[in-house]
Amino acid sequence: MVATRFAPSPNGMLHLGHAWSAIVAHDLAKDRGGRFLLRVEDIDGARSKPELPDAFRRDLEWLGLEWEEVPAQSTRLANYEAAAKELQDAGLLYPCTCTRSEIAALKPRTGPEGLVYPGTCKGKSVDGGKPAALRLDVEKAMARVGEIVWEDEIAGTQVADPRPFGDVVLVRKEEPASYHLAATLDDAADGVTLVTRGADLFTSTHIHRVLQALLQLPVPIWHHHKLLLDETGEKLAKRRESPSLADLRGAGADGRKLADNLRCGNLPAGISLFE
Ligand code: GLU
Ligand code: ZN
């Protein structure tokens, strides 16, 4: 049975872009007689606001969606720690004590997620007193997994190549997992068969596919959907001043009607859909 998910991070209210993402995942599951899951991605303890998940549930209800909720990331830390240990025991992770500004000072190249870590700490013994993140040695990882592919329902078959990201952080200094590790493990644990999310996360899938191979996790199919953009071309979900779903709900707007309008491409003025 197909299972899709909507996985918002509770560090800001949901906007129209999130509504679109939830509707796409919901409809893909329902059209195929499958399950639509809600997962609260609160791995970032410092930025997560405890009152937001409840607002998210009210937003989804207001949009007329039905979902099954799976455990939030903050309840799954032991699972992340076990996977990180497995990768570390396999010699695929190395500690890094660099700060953001130290990395920026090295003027490294820019990749899909901003500055690409130039590997300063690789192969060095680190100062045990300093907080350290754990990074994936991407060259070693690729040598281990060989050529692997992944399937996007829209874009077709992709050869996994996470090298443009460099040695990504899998365990953060202050958290037992980064988004990449946590989301990959959760999708496997939740039985997600169709990972549905915005096209802005397309390239991250290269990392996730390699992690699946390293950790012998089941391999889903992906569906990276088009994004709602405003007139300046900015992703709606990121624009702080656009009204949140909670604002629209509070102002008495009809959420089901909004959802139906989005479904048939009837977009509010100044908003467009882009790959
Ligand atoms: N938690 C992520 C976000 O809110 C979504 C991650 C995903 O769908 O894989 O941007
Ligand atoms: Zn470092």
Side-chain angles (χ1 to χ4, degrees):
M1 193 201 275
V2 68
T4 66
R5 87 307 195 270
F6 174 56
S9 302
N11 46 35
M13 301 283 234
L14 300 185
H15 288 244
L16 222 44
H18 295 108
W20 172 240
S21 200
I23 291 164
V24 170
H26 170 272
D27 291 1
L28 282 169
K30 297 297 158 186
D31 288 350
R32 301 172 195 193
R35 302 161 66 207
F36 168 58
L37 311 178
L38 168 66
R39 181 173 69 231
V40 173
E41 297 214 320
D42 57 353
I43 186 68
D44 189 342
R47 291 179 63 210
S48 292
K49 302 197 179 84
E51 69 281 11
L52 286 179
D54 249 343
F56 292 177
R57 292 177 198 112
R58 284 200 294 276
D59 290 340
L60 295 186
E61 211 170 87
W62 175 71
L63 290 166
L65 307 183
E66 279 170 18
W67 70 93
E68 237 176 275
E69 185 160 352
V70 293
Q73 291 186 324
S74 54
T75 68
R76 303 178 172 202
L77 305 187
N79 198 29
Y80 308 147
E81 280 159 3
K85 182 168 187 309
E86 188 180 330
L87 294 172
Q88 196 166 23
D89 290 348
L92 294 166
L93 306 185
Y94 64 87
C96 166
T97 54
C98 299
T99 61
R100 257 172 221 280
S101 55
E102 281 167 352
I103 295 169
L106 299 167
K107 301 206 183 324
R109 71 184 161 89
T110 304
E113 274 183 334
L115 298 180
V116 175
Y117 181 64
T120 325
C121 296
K122 188 168 161 172
K124 290 194 187 138
S125 61
V126 299
D127 172 354
K130 277 194 190 168
L134 293 176
R135 290 182 178 274
L136 178 70
D137 183 329
V138 77
E139 290 301 336
K140 242 188 204 174
M142 291 311 284
R144 184 73 53 97
V145 302
E147 183 171 299
I148 46 174
V149 295
W150 55 276
E151 205 62 36
D152 181 273
E153 282 200 324
I154 302 168
T157 306
Q158 312 291 318
V159 175
D161 184 9
R163 289 185 185 92
F165 288 86
D167 292 347
V168 284
V169 169
L170 293 189
V171 176
R172 296 173 45 182
K173 284 178 185 164
E174 60 295 336
E175 310 286 353
S178 66
Y179 155 67
H180 298 301
L181 182 60
T184 302
L185 289 167
D186 294 345
D187 284 334
D190 296 337
V192 173
T193 63
L194 183 60
V195 175
T196 309
R197 59 182 169 218
D200 54 333
L201 288 167
F202 189 92
T203 49
S204 299
T205 302
H206 291 296
I207 302 170
H208 304 175
R209 180 65 188 90
V210 169
L211 292 177
Q212 286 158 358
L214 293 171
L215 293 164
Q216 288 162 315
L217 301 173
V219 183
I221 295 182
W222 282 265
H223 180 111
H224 293 95
H225 62 73
K226 292 180 183 178
L227 299 176
L228 289 183
L229 303 183
D230 68 8
E231 51 288 79
T232 66
E234 202 184 341
K235 209 181 107 173
L236 271 194
K238 288 234 169 102
R239 208 172 66 163
R240 290 285 157 232
E241 70 274 21
S242 61
S244 66
L245 300 183
D247 290 337
L248 295 170
R249 185 156 52 78
D254 184 334
R256 285 168 192 261
K257 207 181 222 166
L258 171 74
D260 282 338
N261 278 329
L262 291 175
R263 286 184 175 105
C264 54
N266 224 342
L267 304 175
I271 290 173
S272 54
L273 255 184
F274 269 100
E275 210 95 37

